[in-house]
Amino acid sequence: MVGRTQDALYAEIDLELSWSEDELPQIARTKHVHSLHPYLGKFIPQLVEVFLHRHFSPGDCIYDPFVGSGTTLVEANVFGANAIGCDISAFNCLLARVKTGRYSPGELELALRGALEDMRHGARRSVGEPTPWLSRWYAPQALEELLAYRSSIGRLPTEYGDVARVILSRAARSARLTTHFDLDFPRRPTTKAYYCHKHKRTCRPVQEARKFLARYTTDTIRRIRDFGSVRTNRNVSVLHADSRDVRLPATPNGVVTSPPYPGLIDYHEQHRYAYELLGLADRRHEEIGPATAGRARAAIRSYIQAMSEVFDNTAAQLVRDGWVLIVVNDSHGLFPEIMENAGLILEDRITRHVNRRTGRRAGEFFEDVLVCRAA
């Protein structure tokens, strides 16, 4: 995309994939499990759905080497394809597994409601010592309730316990000592009343977590039930591994993925509350293109090298001539070199206009879908 003027971009955009708010309202973009937990940088499920129908068939195996929140895996399952996802983030893998898991809805609801009741009746029992980070970011009552809930879900079967852990993480995100309008990247705890840009009035920091745990329990049960009405029995595998050298358990027919952009998001830090509460393995030093690395020349060269290794390893395990669909805003013009290094052949480049619907962001935004073949 480097060197193209805005007029040229508008001339090239694929209108079919450039949905407006009226054409694709929020309720459609966040259907069933796609909004089980907030996640920055994910692509919309309808984009995955379009390319699955264009390039694949039910029964195929779809791979995503940057599984993120699991969008590709969810849509592949609904489409009727088997799916494999890989991610270096333990939280991403937890979320993707929970979204794509098979549950008995009645048993799941009974387990989650029971965990809430257990937390309510046992909030003052010994629940372990909080980390210094947790003590800094939560009011005493909120932290006590989060820890009590964590203790109560420890007795659940693993598959239901993992769902409860996602609920705990979502509640922890909302219950932090931060402003209502800055839940994505709060820099420091907020302990005093403040003027809220979201609610246009004076607000105070959250002091409790129980209401969020109850609210998200109900929402999670509903979303999993909704997904259960459209999901298929196709297999889903989620690998907590480095996609530069992971060995896949099956041979994929193709790839649908949206890789991280250089110097934009620290994916482990984005969900720091989950790592602190759940004791997840922290592999942030293995992230590709984290924000902490910046966008200096050395960081960009490191990003190109790492991405080349990912797609080279991926292409080597695909069927011959398998499709590799990469959704990316390549504002630095890095992907031609990455594709060449990995032996990917560019068949088409589709530019779409992205409607900036969320957060306090402004300005035009475009992204490309690089339609490649694995040689």
Side-chain angles (χ1 to χ4, degrees):
M1 295 178 64
V2 172
R4 284 189 283 167
T5 65
Q6 183 164 299
D7 287 343
L9 285 168
Y10 271 119
E12 295 177 13
I13 63 173
D14 187 322
L15 296 178
E16 182 186 353
L17 302 179
S18 301
W19 296 282
S20 67
E21 181 67 26
D22 288 340
E23 293 169 321
L24 192 61
Q26 182 179 9
I27 193 171
R29 303 190 308 272
T30 59
K31 58 184 178 179
H32 51 74
V33 293
H34 285 300
S35 275
L36 209 60
H37 192 289
Y39 189 94
L40 293 176
K42 62 183 178 181
F43 52 176
I44 60 173
Q46 286 75 16
L47 190 61
V48 178
E49 182 181 14
V50 167
F51 285 103
L52 288 172
H53 283 275
R54 284 188 185 182
H55 296 283
F56 301 100
S57 300
D60 282 349
C61 179
I62 311 301
Y63 174 48
D64 187 348
F66 301 102
V67 77
S69 66
T71 302
T72 292
L73 305 191
V74 171
E75 287 303 310
N77 181 272
V78 174
F79 177 68
N82 298 306
I84 304 170
C86 180
D87 208 292
I88 204 69
S89 162
F91 176 78
N92 292 357
C93 292
L94 170 66
L95 181 56
R97 287 193 187 104
V98 166
K99 283 184 175 182
T100 56
R102 294 189 182 96
Y103 310 99
S104 166
E107 290 183 5
L108 175 64
E109 180 167 7
L110 187 63
L112 296 179
R113 299 290 185 195
L116 267 181
E117 284 302 308
D118 192 29
M119 180 271 292
R120 290 190 181 109
H121 294 302
R124 296 192 178 279
R125 64 167 173 261
S126 176
V127 292
E129 289 298 317
T131 66
W133 189 93
L134 291 172
S135 296
R136 180 169 178 255
W137 278 94
Y138 294 93
Q141 179 183 339
L143 183 54
E144 180 181 57
E145 290 165 355
L146 291 171
L147 294 177
Y149 184 77
R150 183 180 69 178
S151 177
S152 72
I153 65 179
R155 291 180 286 278
L156 296 179
T158 300
E159 65 272 25
Y160 300 150
D162 282 347
V163 178
R165 290 177 184 93
V166 170
I167 294 171
L168 174 59
S169 174
R170 188 177 175 190
R173 179 182 184 273
S174 297
R176 287 172 298 173
L177 290 171
T178 185
T179 58
H180 294 138
F181 56 85
D182 192 21
L183 287 172
D184 290 338
F185 296 112
R187 295 184 178 181
R188 61 186 64 85
T190 300
T191 57
K192 298 179 180 179
Y194 59 91
Y195 179 77
C196 182
H197 297 288
K198 178 179 180 179
H199 299 120
K200 308 301 181 185
R201 57 180 170 82
T202 298
C203 288
R204 289 175 172 76
V206 174
Q207 300 295 307
E208 63 172 321
R210 183 179 300 185
K211 64 180 180 182
F212 296 115
L213 290 165
R215 181 187 307 167
Y216 298 149
T217 293
T218 298
D219 185 68
T220 296
I221 292 167
R222 177 182 64 82
R223 290 185 178 278
I224 288 177
R225 284 185 183 273
D226 289 347
F227 180 53
S229 68
V230 296
R231 68 159 295 136
T232 67
N233 289 325
R234 294 297 182 178
N235 294 324
V236 180
S237 298
V238 181
L239 311 175
H240 182 208
D242 191 328
S243 51
R244 284 170 281 199
D245 56 22
V246 67
R247 304 313 299 169
L248 303 179
T251 300
N253 297 89
V255 169
V256 181
T257 192
S258 181
Y261 302 162
L264 186 61
I265 297 175
D266 292 317
Y267 285 90
H268 283 72
E269 190 62 28
Q270 179 187 164
H271 304 115
R272 176 71 178 272
Y273 44 85
Y275 283 87
E276 295 281 344
L277 273 170
L278 303 178
L280 301 174
D282 192 327
R283 299 175 65 176
R284 70 182 62 214
H285 62 285
E286 298 173 71
E287 277 189 27
I288 297 176
T292 52
R295 299 183 185 180
R297 181 174 299 178
I300 294 297
R301 293 312 308 172
S302 175
Y303 176 86
I304 291 173
Q305 175 65 29
M307 281 293 171
S308 299
E309 292 173 5
V310 168
F311 286 106
D312 181 58
N313 183 48
T314 297
Q317 299 182 71
L318 293 182
V319 299
R320 185 173 179 82
D321 292 329
W323 291 107
V324 179
L325 307 178
I326 306 169
V327 181
V328 64
N329 170 240
D330 191 21
S331 58
H332 294 276
L334 309 180
F335 271 80
E337 181 178 351
I338 291 168
M339 290 184 292
E340 181 179 2
N341 291 344
L344 297 179
I345 300 170
L346 183 66
E347 297 278 344
D348 194 11
R349 185 193 66 194
I350 302 168
T351 300
R352 63 182 294 265
H353 179 246
V354 181
N355 186 355
R356 305 294 288 271
R357 304 174 175 96
T358 60
R360 293 188 293 161
R361 300 175 296 176
E364 299 288 2
F365 186 77
F366 300 87
E367 66 184 8
D368 283 343
V369 182
L370 306 177
V371 182
C372 309
R373 289 274 197 182

